Amino acid sequence: MRIAVCVKHVPEGPSHLDPSTKRLDRSGEGALNHFDANAVEEALRLKGDSDTEVVAISLGPQKALDSLRKTLAMGADRAVLVSDDAAVGSDLVATSRLLAAALEREEADLVLFGQQASDADGAVLWAAVAERLGLPVVSQAMELAVDGGSVRVKRQTEFGYDTLEAPLPAVVAVSDAINEPRYPSLKGIMGAKKKPQDVLSLGDLGVDAGDVGEAGSRTTVFALGDPPARGDARKIEDDGNAAQAILDFLAEKRLV
Amino acid sequence: MPTLVFLEHHGSELQKGALGVLAKAASLGDVAALIAGPGAKALAAEAGSHGATKVWICEDEGVAQPVPQPRVDVLAQVVEEGGYDTVLFANSVLAADVAAGLAARLDAGLNWDLTDLEQRDGEIIGKRPALQDSVYADVGWTGTPRLALFRAGSFDATPTGGGDPEVAQVSPSYAAHSTAVTLVGQDAEESSGPSIEDADVIVAGGRGLGEPENFALAEELAKALGGAVGATRAVVDAGWYPYSAQIGQTGKMVSPKLYVALGISGAIQHKVGMQSSGTIVAINKDPNAPIFEFSDLGVVGDLHEIVPKLTELIRTRSA
Ligand SMILES: Cc1cc2nc3c(=O)[nH]c(=O)nc-3n(C[C@H](O)[C@H](O)[C@H](O)COP(=O)(O)OP(=O)(O)OC[C@H]3O[C@@H](n4cnc5c(N)ncnc54)[C@H](O)[C@@H]3O)c2cc1C
Ligand SMILES: Nc1ncnc2c1ncn2[C@@H]1O[C@H](COP(=O)(O)O)[C@@H](O)[C@H]1O
């Protein structure tokens, strides 16, 4: 069996938008989107000690290799980075086109996604990718089992819990409650260096530059503004007296 | 802008959020609605009273289950037949997957997490709080159809006083992969335990509590403050606390006078369930936690240190 896991390299710490491009400033330090660690962990759990291959796939700048190396250190077998200047500024339709093209080459039995990208908070990409691949999709999986040729998922919706089943190959997005991701061991980190890491361009995928990046996107940002003012919000650091400070605050607001 | 609104229903109830989006769309121009699933026809009149002049109905076997992909087929067909250039959705687990699937199918732009929509000089502009709501962006589309997902609670589901809508039936055909997912079981929400919806004070716990036993910290503090205990989805799905206590998009919407968040990061999906609380106090050890963006008092620190002391101080004060 082959499991492909889609992972994103996201900015670390507080993010901000570049006022000229109105896009997320990705020039600083980055890290593996922590929601995607759950997807990697789930793939590794399903693999167990079988000969299943786990491939981590990312679309992003060269630096995204750092995040892919982390998935290799956790135990993934192989990494694929799609990186091309023409892809910068891709929105949902463009991103899903590129990822689907990369996934098509893998012919994975199961494609896993994380719950959401912590920078974009879309929690939607899997459904677009599944549509392009012509595969069934199930999102928000909090329990996942592969049995023969199908996958069974339990998930929470606005109305309680559903159990869904789909034939493989399928696309599944996991929730952050599905598992506790492991930390890479020292051995894992050392071993990661020797694992295959492919970097693919648009040409490698046979995707036209006009179909990705800003040219291939269908949404745009007109302007950026400040959030509405929030009155007298306060933030304090605990110096040992935080409990008293909270009580004083509550008393001042007549809440105790 | 001929507009179509995806009206999600469950049993015999249309989702309030979707009715709110419909009412908003009706204030901007002519709007139609699509209701797909068992019992759809009986809900057409309610869609009319919330502003739909036309309602597309699909009760086909293929949309009997609450899964997204057959609904992508139905929508793609209705968008084409009706010539809609704008399709709006109220965010939900189902609607998000339908909207993104449709975006790929039609190669259409999808803007998500919008809180408002307006027309300015013939241009349609969405309001999108971004980066944990630290920036407000005006977003748009470079072509049609335009697709948008609205954040839960963006609009009130106020009847617009519209009359009986025209009703049209859809007879869909499905892509092969669209009908592959089947629902094999469903557990409805169990309504045991005290209701948190009416509580004046809620102390909510998240994964930062560390382990299920530490919910005792939240319970003790709640008791001292005379309040109820809430939880995030992360800890509910992990089995630390019951679903009936979950606050957020897929849980309860609460607005107590005081909301105390313990070890909660403040994800948008949690925020939409509690942001209208009177006063919000958050304790989190990560100074960059998004919850501090919407707390009246943010405390950067270890909840295990602070909460027992706070509970003790409140007890002493009330004694
Ligand atoms: C479609 C969808 C629907 C969803 N619906 C909901 C919903 O209804 N409700 C909901 O809550 N979520 C919902 N979510 C999930 C949501 O996105 C977050 O994953 C979830 O809210 C995170 O829960 P958390 O804050 O407990 O955990 P985390 O995000 O892991 O945050 C834990 C926090 O605790 C802090 N912490 C750790 N240790 C300590 C300590 N000792 N002292 C102080 N602070 C500490 C950490 O700094 C961190 O900020 C939904 C997601 C999706 C995609
Ligand atoms: N650039 C990317 N490369 C690979 N996977 C991604 C990328 N962006 C998002 N994903 C995957 O899609 C999921 C949902 O992302 P989003 O819909 O953007 O919130 C993430 O958890 C990842 O699994």
Side-chain angles (χ1 to χ4, degrees):
Chain A
M1 188 159 96
R2 178 176 293 154
I3 305 176
V5 190
C6 293
V7 302
K8 190 174 189 184
H9 184 71
V10 297
E12 223 169 3
S15 324
H16 68 278
L17 298 170
D18 179 332
S20 60
T21 61
K22 303 192 193 70
R23 288 199 295 261
L24 192 59
D25 180 354
R26 299 188 186 277
S27 58
E29 288 296 299
L32 175 66
N33 172 35
H34 71 88
F35 292 106
D36 296 341
N38 294 107
V40 175
E41 178 62 38
E42 199 57 19
L44 296 174
R45 190 190 65 78
L46 289 168
K47 174 185 166 95
D49 39 25
S50 74
D51 59 2
T52 291
E53 187 190 32
V54 176
V55 189
I57 300 187
S58 191
L59 166 66
Q62 282 287 332
K63 279 189 295 185
L65 274 175
D66 294 349
S67 288
L68 282 171
R69 282 194 202 103
K70 178 162 180 200
T71 69
L72 296 176
M74 287 174 75
D77 299 296
R78 186 156 62 79
V80 176
L81 173 66
V82 179
S83 199
D84 200 303
D85 287 344
V88 172
S90 292
D91 74 347
L92 178 75
V93 284
T95 302
S96 62
R97 176 173 287 120
L98 267 172
L99 267 183
L103 284 163
E104 234 152 47
R105 294 161 47 110
E106 297 296 338
E107 296 183 344
D109 303 281
L110 182 63
V111 181
L112 294 181
F113 282 78
Q115 174 182 290
Q116 63 205 93
S118 64
D119 53 355
D121 271 325
V124 288
L125 186 59
W126 48 78
V129 170
E131 179 58 35
R132 293 202 187 277
L133 293 172
L135 293 181
V137 65
V138 182
S139 61
Q140 318 301 333
M142 54 175 281
E143 282 172 26
L144 189 164
V146 172
D147 182 14
S150 69
V151 59
R152 183 184 272 251
V153 163
K154 183 175 177 190
R155 63 122 170 229
Q156 194 193 101
T157 74
E158 288 78 5
F159 308 104
Y161 291 91
D162 287 351
T163 304
L164 300 157
E165 218 168 67
L168 298 179
V171 175
V172 176
V174 306
S175 97
D176 63 346
I178 197 166
N179 55 38
E180 267 309 318
R182 70 193 65 186
Y183 288 101
S185 63
L186 192 59
K187 190 165 150 252
I189 295 168
M190 300 311 288
K193 298 194 177 115
K194 294 191 286 282
K195 293 180 178 173
Q197 304 166 29
D198 291 326
V199 181
L200 305 178
S201 67
L202 292 188
D204 296 325
L205 293 175
V207 175
D208 238 33
D211 287 335
V212 297
E214 270 180 15
S217 293
R218 301 284 176 268
T219 54
T220 186
V221 179
F222 292 124
L224 301 176
D226 291 326
R230 277 193 306 127
D232 58 347
R234 276 176 251 177
K235 191 165 158 191
I236 60 168
E237 200 130 346
D238 183 22
D239 55 0
N241 297 314
Q244 185 63 49
I246 296 171
L247 179 65
D248 293 345
F249 175 83
L250 295 178
E252 179 195 319
K253 297 268 178 194
R254 302 182 177 280
L255 289 164
V256 280
Chain B
M1 58 172 224
T3 299
L4 181 69
V5 174
F6 176 74
L7 274 191
E8 182 174 347
H9 72 295
H10 187 75
S12 60
E13 232 177 278
L14 286 168
Q15 272 216 305
K16 290 270 174 304
L19 285 172
V21 170
L22 176 60
K24 172 70 193 185
S27 76
L28 296 175
D30 191 49
V31 58
L34 166 74
I35 312 176
K41 190 148 193 281
L43 300 168
E46 194 181 354
S49 69
H50 286 78
T53 55
K54 179 169 186 172
V55 180
W56 297 82
I57 293 297
C58 180
E59 293 190 338
D60 189 76
E61 189 53 37
V63 290
Q65 298 177 337
V67 294
Q69 288 168 308
R71 287 169 173 76
V72 173
D73 294 291
V74 172
L75 269 166
Q77 190 173 324
V78 170
V79 166
E80 199 193 272
E81 270 178 47
Y84 298 106
D85 67 15
T86 305
V87 189
L88 308 178
F89 301 81
N91 192 26
S92 75
V93 168
L94 179 67
D97 286 353
V98 176
L102 188 66
R105 176 77 66 90
L106 302 178
D107 212 8
L110 170 64
N111 278 305
W112 59 78
D113 213 20
L114 300 188
T115 55
D116 206 358
L117 193 70
E118 61 181 67
Q119 276 186 92
R120 220 187 284 156
D121 311 326
E123 193 99 61
I124 295 173
I125 296 173
K127 284 279 171 204
R128 155 90 153 98
L131 300 179
Q132 338 294 352
D133 299 358
S134 60
V135 185
Y136 273 54
D138 283 352
V139 298
W141 295 261
T142 57
T144 55
R146 311 172 187 92
L147 312 187
L149 266 167
F150 289 90
R151 182 180 285 194
S154 291
F155 311 111
D156 291 331
T158 333
T160 55
D164 269 346
E166 177 195 341
V167 174
Q169 299 278 349
V170 194
S171 327
S173 55
Y174 304 103
H177 65 275
S178 294
T179 50
V181 176
T182 48
L183 181 74
V184 294
Q186 220 166 7
D187 300 326
E189 171 190 355
E190 84 287 12
S191 51
S192 62
S195 170
I196 53 172
E197 278 148 309
D198 309 320
D200 278 340
V201 175
I202 292 177
V203 178
R207 198 146 38 188
L209 286 172
E211 46 183 301
E213 292 70 35
N214 287 338
F215 254 96
L217 290 174
E219 283 166 350
E220 294 288 306
L221 179 56
K223 209 159 115 198
L225 287 165
V229 175
T232 64
R233 189 183 78 169
V235 295
V236 168
D237 278 356
W240 295 12
Y241 224 65
Y243 180 53
S244 54
Q246 184 181 312
I247 293 164
Q249 185 193 318
T250 49
K252 301 219 160 71
M253 303 284 170
V254 298
S255 49
K257 293 198 181 92
L258 173 63
Y259 191 92
V260 184
L262 307 178
I264 293 178
S265 60
I268 299 298
Q269 294 90 346
H270 184 75
K271 179 182 178 182
V272 294
M274 46 66 78
Q275 63 186 341
S276 55
S277 303
T279 299
I280 299 170
V281 175
I283 305 176
N284 193 305
K285 69 176 183 189
D286 173 8
N288 297 321
I291 190 116
F292 292 132
E293 293 288 331
F294 50 95
S295 300
D296 299 287
L297 177 64
V299 180
V300 183
D302 185 349
L303 70 90
H304 301 102
E305 297 281 326
I306 301 168
V307 176
K309 285 192 218 160
L310 178 60
T311 304
E312 199 44 49
L313 284 172
I314 292 168
R315 279 200 192 118
T316 318
R317 187 188 155 97
S318 356

